[in-house]
Amino acid sequence: QARVEESGGGLVQAGGSLTLSCTASGLSFDDYALGWFRQAPMKQREGVSCITFTGGSTQYLDSVKGRFTISRDNAKNTLYLQMNNLKPEDTATYYCAYLGRSRCKTPKEIESLVPDFGIRSQGTQVTVSS
């Protein structure tokens, strides 16, 4: 059973930075692509970024390109999301999730990204004040 736990959220002013972490277990970590999702109140969940199982390819939502960087450390079973120049519209609960092994190889995938094994974690809250 796939298990993940997110951390690193908080309250920051616009223009600030945060680094989210996600520790994973239950599945062979380096056999799967991984993704970050977010959901703001009254809005649909959206895929923010993803990374292939090798870490060799990454994709980003247009609104975060150039500001967010996804990375993974397969030795530590940990996924990261470095978020710079945060904006109030980035305020949301952020979740990480396992994706299928073949995921995240094309930019178009981010538009319809889904967590292939569901989301059962609590997420981590990011609040950006203006």
Side-chain angles (χ1 to χ4, degrees):
Q1 184 178 359
R3 296 187 184 88
V4 299
E5 182 173 0
E6 305 91 348
S7 62
L11 172 63
V12 295
Q13 290 188 327
S17 297
L18 286 172
T19 300
L20 306 184
S21 298
C22 168
T23 54
S25 63
L27 295 176
S28 181
F29 186 81
D30 52 7
D31 279 346
Y32 294 88
L34 296 163
W36 285 101
F37 298 81
R38 67 186 181 187
Q39 186 164 19
M42 307 300 288
K43 291 188 177 180
Q44 283 194 323
R45 183 182 62 207
E46 62 182 354
V48 175
S49 182
C50 62
I51 187 168
T52 54
F53 72 100
T54 63
S57 180
T58 58
Q59 312 298 341
Y60 297 92
L61 191 65
D62 281 348
S63 63
V64 308
K65 280 181 182 176
R67 301 188 296 121
F68 290 11
T69 303
I70 191 172
S71 61
R72 63 189 294 164
D73 185 337
N74 286 351
K76 295 182 178 179
N77 283 14
T78 303
L79 177 71
Y80 302 98
L81 186 68
Q82 173 69 43
M83 305 186 296
N84 298 325
N85 190 22
L86 282 160
K87 302 177 179 181
E89 52 263 42
D90 295 318
T91 294
T93 301
Y94 284 70
Y95 304 88
C96 65
Y98 281 91
L99 307 174
R101 183 180 174 90
S102 64
R103 297 288 193 189
C104 198
K105 294 181 178 176
T106 64
K108 288 176 64 175
E109 288 187 59
I110 199 70
E111 301 282 338
S112 57
L113 198 68
V114 294
D116 291 307
F117 299 88
I119 291 180
R120 297 186 181 88
S121 56
Q122 297 294 315
T124 187
Q125 178 66 37
V126 172
T127 303
V128 185
S129 63
S130 57

